[in-house]
Amino acid sequence: MTVRTIIAGNWKMHKTAADAAAFLDAFLPMVPTLPVSIEIVVAPPFTSIPTASARLRGARVQLGAQNMHWELAGAFTGEVSAPMLREFGVTHVILGHSERRALCDETDRTVNLKVRTALEQGLTPIVAVGETLDERRAGATGARVVAQIRAAFEGVAGDALRRVVLAYEPIWAIGTGENCEPAEADRVMGTIRKCLDGLGATPILYGGSMTARNVASYVALPNINGGLVGGASLDPESFAAIVAGAGA
Ligand code: PGA
């Protein structure tokens, strides 16, 4: 079964609206030179989404958000809902990123609520899972990521799993320059693919210090269908080189 390949840039808390405009003004002219087989997603912070949305009109680059609330509206000070994202043409939303789990009280339960809402609202959730270094050292990597996946999709119908994207991001590899060996990432991602029925054609992205130098060695492997890229997605040339590398 052929699974599509996706390179998604997670800008985290980087780039004002002016910075986002400058990035896209440099990046978009490079897009026609990039392999058409690779789906490209950028996920700016909320405040840069309107600017990015305007720049991306007519471009073959999809717009993502980095989080959202599970309710559609209400008394949730500081939160942003799926309809607010959709209004700006957002198609993807990263859910369960380890930084939100560790620093912003995201739990398996809230990830599950958000995944259900994203699917109901026609957004593609990019659900991130991954183990800490201690869990890896304790031999608990497989159990950890399987538990996170099962919790995230509790109560989600099997056919909806075709509309999701998964990301395996070992926490110790994020932003450290210490990427997980591709063969080991592929092994864990194979475990993820098998942990629920219906994930056979679901794109699973690797995340954790992915660069233009190492992307090809990941996407060559059977269970790796692209990347969720943090640091190396912030520079337009570097991000374009990663997309190019994924299609080489
Ligand atoms: P990194 O981040 O590429 O900077 O390691 C990846 C992520 O957190 O999504």
Side-chain angles (χ1 to χ4, degrees), residues 216-239:
S217 58
Y218 286 101
V219 297
L221 299 178
N223 288 302
I224 307 184
N225 312 113
L228 181 57
V229 188
S233 76
L234 295 174
D235 173 76
E237 277 78 22
S238 156
F239 190 53

Side-chain angles (χ1 to χ4, degrees), residues 180-204:
C180 179
E181 281 303 314
E184 171 58 11
D186 184 67
R187 186 188 70 77
V188 177
M189 292 159 84
T191 302
I192 290 172
R193 196 179 294 289
K194 284 192 228 84
C195 82
L196 287 179
D197 286 341
L199 295 179
T202 300
I204 310 180

Side-chain angles (χ1 to χ4, degrees), residues 10 12 97-99 169 173-177 207-210 228-232:
N10 171 15
K12 310 192 178 185
H97 190 281
S98 59
E99 287 152 17
E169 300 203 304
I174 295 178
T176 58
S209 300
M210 182 177 265
L228 181 57
V229 188

